[in-house]
């Protein structure tokens, strides 16, 4: 039943909800989230740092290649790890052509001398591997014997593979420092390369590689004097939240009694069946609204401000067993876009009606309202203190959101496709894991949601959001380097140890180097946001 008007800044996998979403005020229930820094369940490949007031979640994008990483070709052709280049009998020619999404196309021309040497190396290797009747082991075989024994196609395939293996590191040498890991693709068809070699005894092939994107600031250094307007949700007001929490706890101590002699009043709880349909001039176009339907729904009238405007007012006075129909219009700010502005007719059957018989709110209830408290005043003070912590965290979180949103608008970055896909898959994996912990998916459901088709659809639907996350991450990283920011080494060591301990506690596999990289990025992000907050002109407004 979707009648509540709350919104969320991030689309998440949510199980079906009831009419009202009532969240207790706790330190783990912030009101405001964003893609870069947000409160999450701990996913298998993400980290949260315990030392900060706000848990920081950051998924690291693909890294540039260096001396310890491998540029892996996603074809059958082998690519060796970056090392000292093997000397070739002649120089290859490499032509770079920029392509969209920070991608380079490298056209590689391999001279005949290189192909001939590779041919001889293949022949020597084949000769060592076989014993041909009439020839001593290791003795050089005549070309016609070699071809007849191994087959012309197999021999040519091996030569082309050898050429690619030997020349690809040379072709990549000029861009290795900029190339992104696992982004090298040989674009030429292997069959075409074999045909080219067999007809001309030389080779020309194309490869593409994603490179670290260039970050352009507009205006240059504009991040140094940000002017930020932070919109705060009125629901995070600590005093209001603490009063609502006290009321919720008091209500939990009451008893529901059946109303027999009057209609619905504020404070009552009604058990209702709800249905809705669109209002159309042409009755043939009338449609039911499934998301607004509910059976045996417990409607607490004190939460009337959380449902569709006018819904509560239309039910005041309704009695048990009575049915009412009334028109309402979904506001333009409604969470579900397809319902915004829709005129609907609601039909509500009141099946049962209850009022709360509440105990008197005094010191005698203190320990029941909040264990350990002896007076009502102590309960109020403790709840207010906790809500002030939440308000402070939410305010800081909202400030970070606003800063990151502003940074995103100030940078121009041509996002590489390989980074986009990796980031998107990690975000999808995190949300899928979070969904599984809530809903307990069976193997069939999990397989369907993990399929390439499901991931591809997610990448397409969430393209704008994923791109924003990447722009924010890259912008923050650029500021950290530009401003020569640092954080204590012992803090990095401590957080890495804590994170590894968490992985072990949950019996999850981890790569220690990867954990260290992620923790470092998180600490860098926190440092940058702290640096930006200190220098920004920030204005707070309450909705």
């Amino acid at each position: 039943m979707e009648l509540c008007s709350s919104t969320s800044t991030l689309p998440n996998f949510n199980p079906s909800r009831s009419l009202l979403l009532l969240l207790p005020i706790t330190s783990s229930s912030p009101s405001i989230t964003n893609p870069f820094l947000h409160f999450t369940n701990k996913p298998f490949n993400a980290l949260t740092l315990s030392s900060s007031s706000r848990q920081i979640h950051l998924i690291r994008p693909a890294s540039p290649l260096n001396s310890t990483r491998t540029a892996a070709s996603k074809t059958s052709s082998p690519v060796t790890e970056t090392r000292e280049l093997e000397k070739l009998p002649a120089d290859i020619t490499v032509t770079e052509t920029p392509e969209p999404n920070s991608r380079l196309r490298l056209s590689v021309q391999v001279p005949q001398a290189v192909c001939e040497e590779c041919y001889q190396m293949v022949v020597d290797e084949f000769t060592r591997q076989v014993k041909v009747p009439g020839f001593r082991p290791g003795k050089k075989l005549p070309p016609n014997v070699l071809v007849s024994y191994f087959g012309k196609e197999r021999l040519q395939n091996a030569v082309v593979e050898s050429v690619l293996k030997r020349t690809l590191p040379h072709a990549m040498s000029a861009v290795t420092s900029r190339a992104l890991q696992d982004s090298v693709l040989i674009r030429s068809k292997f069959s075409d390369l074999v045909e080219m070699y067999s007809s001309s005894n030389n080779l020309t092939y194309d490869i593409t590689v994603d490179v670290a994107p260039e970050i352009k600031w507009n205006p240059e250094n504009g991040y140094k004097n940000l002017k930020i307007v932070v919109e705060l949700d009125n629901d995070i007001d600590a005093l209001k939240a603490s009063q609502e929490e006290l009321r919720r706890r008091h209500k939990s101590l009451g008893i529901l009694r059946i109303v027999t002699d009057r209609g619905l009043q504020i404070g009552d709880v009604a058990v209702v069946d709800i249905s809705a349909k669109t209002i159309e001039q042409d009755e043939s176009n009338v449609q039911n609204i499934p998301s607004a339907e509910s059976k045996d729904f417990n409607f607490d009238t004190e939460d009337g401000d959380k449902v569709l405007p006018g819904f509560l007012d239309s039910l005041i006075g309704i009695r048990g067993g009575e049915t009412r129909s009334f028109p309402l219009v979904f506001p333009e700010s409604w969470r579900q876009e397809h319902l915004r502005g829709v005129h609907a007719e609601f039909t509500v059957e009141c099946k049962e009606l209850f009022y709360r018989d509440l105990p008197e709110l005094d010191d005698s209830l203190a320990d029941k309202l909040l264990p350990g408290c002896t007076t009502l005043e102590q309960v109020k003070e403790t709840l207010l203190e906790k809500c002030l912590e939440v308000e402070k965290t939410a305010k800081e979180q909202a400030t970070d959101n606003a800063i990151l949103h502003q940074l995103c608008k100030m940078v121009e970055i041509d996002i590489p496709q390989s980074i986009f896909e990796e980031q998107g898959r990690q975000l999808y994996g995190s949300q899928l894991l979070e969904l599984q912990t809530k809903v307990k998916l069976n193997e069939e459901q999990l397989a369907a949601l993990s399929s390439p088709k499901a991931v591809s659809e997610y990448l397409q639907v969430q393209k704008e959001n994923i791109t924003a996350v990447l722009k924010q991450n890259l912008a923050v990283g650029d500021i950290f380097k530009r401003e020569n920011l640092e954080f204590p080494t012992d803090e990095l060591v401590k957080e890495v140890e804590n994170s590894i301990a968490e992985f072990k506690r949950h019996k999850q596999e981890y790569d220690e180097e990867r954990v260290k990289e992620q923790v470092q990025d998180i600490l860098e992000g926190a440092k940058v946001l702290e640096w930006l907050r200190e220098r920004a002109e920030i204005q707070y407004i309450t909705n």
Side-chain angles (χ1 to χ4, degrees):
M1 173 65 192
E2 294 285 355
L3 286 179
C4 55
S5 58
S6 60
T7 60
S8 174
T9 56
L10 273 180
N12 290 313
F13 292 95
N14 290 323
S16 58
R17 299 182 178 183
S18 59
L19 177 65
L20 302 175
L21 185 60
L22 299 178
L23 294 178
I25 305 299
T26 68
S27 60
S28 62
S29 302
S31 300
I32 303 174
T33 60
N34 74 82
F36 181 76
L37 303 172
H38 62 277
F39 296 67
T40 68
N41 291 332
K42 189 182 299 295
F44 62 91
N45 58 355
L47 304 174
T48 53
L49 302 193
S50 58
S51 59
S52 58
S53 60
R54 299 174 311 290
Q55 288 186 329
I56 300 175
H57 172 84
L58 170 62
I59 301 177
R60 184 181 181 89
S63 305
L65 294 171
N66 55 40
S67 59
T68 63
R69 299 184 185 274
T70 302
S73 168
K74 298 179 181 179
T75 70
S76 60
S77 302
V79 181
T80 59
E81 289 188 359
T82 304
R83 61 175 185 267
E84 185 175 348
L85 294 177
E86 181 182 357
K87 187 174 181 180
L88 299 177
D91 292 334
I92 63 173
T93 302
V94 181
T95 304
E96 292 185 15
T97 305
E99 292 190 348
N101 303 116
S102 296
R103 174 168 288 180
L104 287 179
R105 179 175 289 272
L106 307 180
S107 296
V108 185
Q109 294 182 334
V110 183
Q112 185 173 346
V114 175
C115 294
E116 290 176 350
E117 184 173 276
C118 289
Y119 170 80
Q120 191 58 53
M121 292 173 66
V122 169
V123 169
D124 292 344
E125 181 62 28
F126 278 17
T127 300
R128 285 193 295 269
Q129 292 179 3
V130 299
K131 293 181 180 180
V132 180
F135 294 89
R136 292 195 304 274
K139 181 181 175 66
K140 184 176 181 181
L141 300 175
N144 61 323
V145 174
L146 196 67
V147 170
S148 63
Y149 193 86
F150 287 100
K152 182 178 180 181
E153 182 178 355
R154 181 180 176 188
L155 188 62
Q156 290 177 340
N157 287 351
V159 173
V160 171
E161 287 189 5
S162 177
V163 171
L164 292 174
K165 181 176 181 179
R166 295 189 67 198
T167 61
L168 189 54
H170 288 265
M172 288 290 300
S173 61
V175 298
T176 298
S177 61
R178 295 179 289 153
L180 299 180
Q181 189 175 9
D182 298 330
S183 69
V184 181
L185 292 170
I186 297 178
R187 293 294 181 178
S188 303
K189 290 184 178 179
F190 191 79
S191 58
D192 292 342
L193 296 180
V194 173
E195 183 178 349
M196 184 188 308
Y197 168 72
S198 64
S199 62
S200 63
N201 206 29
N202 59 27
L203 211 60
T204 298
Y205 63 92
D206 285 353
I207 59 178
T208 59
V209 58
D210 290 346
V211 296
E214 181 182 357
I215 300 176
K216 297 180 180 179
W217 289 92
N218 185 22
E220 182 68 21
N221 295 325
Y223 62 84
K224 292 186 177 181
N225 53 356
L226 294 175
K227 295 183 179 180
I228 303 295
V229 176
V230 182
E231 297 184 5
L232 299 176
D233 193 331
N234 188 51
D235 290 341
I236 70 171
D237 179 81
L239 180 59
K240 177 183 176 183
S242 65
Q243 292 171 343
E244 290 183 353
E245 178 64 8
L246 177 61
R247 176 62 179 165
R248 186 189 69 81
R249 293 178 182 233
H250 185 210
K251 285 162 58 174
S252 70
L253 300 177
I255 300 174
L256 289 178
R257 300 189 185 279
I258 298 175
V259 175
T260 59
D261 57 350
R262 60 171 176 80
L264 181 70
Q265 297 178 355
I266 300 296
D268 292 342
V269 176
V271 179
V272 296
D273 286 350
I274 306 171
S275 62
K277 59 184 179 181
T278 60
I279 297 176
E280 307 286 352
Q281 291 184 347
D282 183 354
E283 292 187 1
S284 63
N285 292 330
V286 171
Q287 295 180 344
N288 293 330
I289 306 176
S291 61
E293 296 179 353
S294 184
K295 294 289 186 181
D296 296 324
F297 177 70
N298 293 330
F299 176 42
D300 188 337
T301 55
E302 291 191 352
D303 296 317
D305 59 336
K306 295 181 175 65
V307 297
L308 186 66
F311 185 83
L312 172 59
D313 292 340
S314 300
L315 291 182
I316 293 298
I318 193 172
R319 290 174 174 266
E322 181 183 348
T323 298
R324 285 188 184 180
S325 296
F326 47 87
L328 291 176
V329 179
F330 288 88
E332 293 299 328
S333 59
W334 197 248
R335 175 178 52 189
Q336 297 167 292
E337 293 185 14
H338 69 285
L339 290 179
R340 293 173 183 173
V342 170
H343 291 250
E345 181 179 18
F346 284 82
T347 299
V348 179
E349 178 188 355
C350 181
K351 303 173 75 172
E352 294 181 278
L353 191 58
F354 301 90
Y355 71 93
R356 281 193 175 89
D357 186 1
L358 297 176
E360 186 175 351
L361 189 59
D362 55 25
D363 291 347
S364 64
L365 295 181
D367 186 62
K368 294 180 180 179
L369 292 168
L370 192 61
C373 292
T374 57
T375 66
L376 183 60
E377 190 62 30
Q378 187 180 4
V379 172
K380 293 179 179 179
E381 291 176 357
T382 304
L383 290 178
L384 179 59
E385 183 179 342
K386 291 183 177 181
C387 290
L388 283 170
E389 292 177 3
V390 175
E391 180 185 53
K392 178 176 180 292
T393 299
K395 187 175 181 179
E396 291 174 342
Q397 189 76 67
T399 303
D400 290 344
N401 293 347
I403 290 175
L404 290 166
H405 181 68
Q406 186 68 13
L407 293 182
C408 194
K409 294 192 296 185
M410 296 174 66
V411 291
E412 297 178 12
I413 308 175
D414 198 14
I415 302 293
Q417 185 64 21
S418 58
I419 289 183
F420 172 83
E421 291 181 358
E422 180 181 352
Q423 181 78 86
R425 287 191 177 94
Q426 291 193 42
L427 287 172
Y428 183 77
S430 297
Q431 293 192 1
L432 185 57
L433 186 64
E434 185 175 353
L435 174 66
Q436 189 176 11
T437 60
K438 293 178 179 179
V439 184
K440 300 299 181 184
L441 302 171
N442 59 40
E443 290 186 8
E444 184 178 347
Q445 291 171 321
L446 188 59
L449 289 173
S450 303
S451 67
K453 179 181 179 182
V455 176
S456 177
E457 289 176 351
Y458 174 83
L459 295 178
Q460 183 64 34
V461 172
Q462 294 298 319
K463 181 177 181 179
E464 184 177 346
N465 179 53
I466 297 169
T467 300
V469 172
L470 283 167
K471 290 179 70 175
Q472 292 168 356
N473 288 354
L474 293 169
V476 166
D478 190 53
I479 294 173
F480 188 87
K481 293 178 182 178
R482 281 172 170 243
E483 301 303 327
N484 298 314
L485 301 179
E486 297 178 345
F487 53 82
T489 304
D490 58 348
E491 187 174 352
L492 175 63
V493 173
K494 176 184 176 182
E495 294 296 350
V496 169
E497 291 175 349
N498 291 341
S499 297
I500 290 177
E502 279 293 294
F503 280 113
K504 290 180 178 179
R505 187 168 68 87
H506 292 282
K507 297 180 180 180
Q508 295 175 345
E509 295 182 0
Y510 64 92
D511 181 326
E512 186 169 345
E513 187 60 31
R514 181 74 167 178
V515 171
K516 183 178 179 180
E517 289 176 349
Q518 286 188 317
V519 169
Q520 183 169 328
D521 280 351
I522 293 170
L523 292 175
E524 288 179 4
K527 189 67 178 180
V528 169
L529 287 169
E530 178 186 350
W531 188 88
L532 291 172
R533 283 195 302 271
E534 291 174 350
R535 290 159 178 77
E537 181 181 321
I538 303 174
Q539 177 186 358
Y540 294 97
I541 60 175
T542 302
N543 292 330

